[in-house]
Amino acid sequence: MKKILLLLPVLLALTTAAQNISEIRQYYTEINTKITQSLEQGFEGPLYNNHWVTNHHNRSWPAVGNYSETTDFWYDDPPYHLPAEERDPKNVLVKVTMTRISSHLKADEEYLFKDGKLIFFFRKEAEEGQQWETRIYFDNQGAVIKTSVKANNRELTDKDFLTEEFRDFRPDGVAVMEVAKKYQDLFVKSNS
């Protein structure tokens, strides 16, 4: 009986995390559908977009050479545009996507927000025939509920992160949250 009582909180936590991940995936699909509609429909689409390009003319970048970066801020601002004192401008941001090309490295990142909180992070990197993917799921309190890292389509384990080869690929939810906050701040400043 004691064993069952000890396992109950663990099973409840796993069930809750699975539900959260399922909800995040559903929301991710919903936002991506809205982005596609916005790209196809232009000003009639459901989301607004701020599109930033760094090094648009693809000039050589100091100490890097080939470098460019494109960042898209996707947001759903109510059509009646509530006054700033009646809304939190961070809450309208739903997704930030970034593509960076630097010498031989290509990186894509996605930050998915809901009600002003980061709920999902995805990064895909490719360099010289190697590929890495990182996914981090967050609960609505900002705690990491699941991570996944793949190197060349192989899921890495905690044991892999102890090796020299994969040590730098261990997901860091705190660092991702800090970058997401910077993107939110940039978004708010760009719209004020």
Side-chain angles (χ1 to χ4, degrees):
M1 182 68 163
K2 288 182 182 180
K3 289 181 181 178
I4 292 173
L5 290 176
L6 290 174
L7 286 175
L8 192 58
V10 172
L11 292 174
L12 184 59
L14 289 174
T15 302
T16 303
Q19 288 173 340
N20 286 345
I21 291 169
S22 177
E23 291 169 6
I24 290 169
R25 287 178 177 157
Q26 182 178 349
Y27 179 69
Y28 179 84
T29 301
E30 177 186 320
I31 294 302
N32 283 345
T33 299
K34 288 182 177 183
I35 289 172
T36 300
Q37 290 170 344
S38 297
L39 290 169
E40 291 171 352
Q41 298 170 9
F43 71 90
E44 298 274 336
L47 296 177
Y48 298 93
N49 174 248
N50 291 355
H51 181 80
W52 294 0
V53 178
T54 302
N55 199 17
H56 175 72
H57 298 290
N58 207 24
R59 301 274 316 228
S60 181
W61 202 260
V64 178
N66 181 29
Y67 178 83
S68 66
E69 183 173 306
T70 303
T71 306
D72 283 289
F73 296 87
W74 293 98
Y75 56 104
D76 182 7
D77 200 0
Y80 44 85
H81 299 287
L82 292 173
E85 63 271 3
E86 294 182 28
R87 69 178 168 89
D88 183 349
K90 290 180 183 176
N91 288 352
V92 300
L93 182 64
V94 292
K95 190 171 185 183
V96 176
T97 60
M98 186 277 306
T99 298
R100 179 183 304 124
I101 298 171
S102 173
S103 194
H104 296 290
L105 176 69
K106 182 177 188 294
D108 295 306
E109 292 182 359
E110 299 178 8
Y111 299 82
L112 183 67
F113 297 91
K114 187 171 188 180
D115 299 324
K117 297 178 180 175
L118 180 68
I119 60 170
F120 179 68
F121 166 77
F122 173 72
R123 176 180 23 224
K124 182 176 184 176
E125 297 175 286
E127 182 177 34
E128 297 178 357
Q130 304 292 314
Q131 290 187 353
W132 305 273
E133 289 184 2
T134 302
R135 289 173 176 80
I136 305 176
Y137 298 84
F138 298 90
D139 67 13
N140 60 2
Q141 303 300 315
V144 173
I145 54 176
K146 181 181 179 181
T147 63
S148 169
V149 178
K150 291 182 181 179
N152 297 318
N153 296 318
R154 182 177 74 85
E155 185 82 28
L156 299 182
T157 65
D158 287 336
K159 187 176 178 180
D160 291 322
F161 294 126
L162 298 175
T163 67
E164 183 72 29
E165 181 181 8
F166 298 116
R167 183 173 294 140
D168 294 336
F169 293 96
R170 179 180 295 279
D172 185 349
V174 173
V176 168
M177 278 286 198
E178 289 173 2
V179 173
K181 172 124 179 57
K182 287 180 184 178
Y183 277 125
Q184 277 184 314
D185 292 342
L186 283 171
F187 168 73
V188 170
K189 288 177 185 174
S190 74
N191 284 304
S192 49

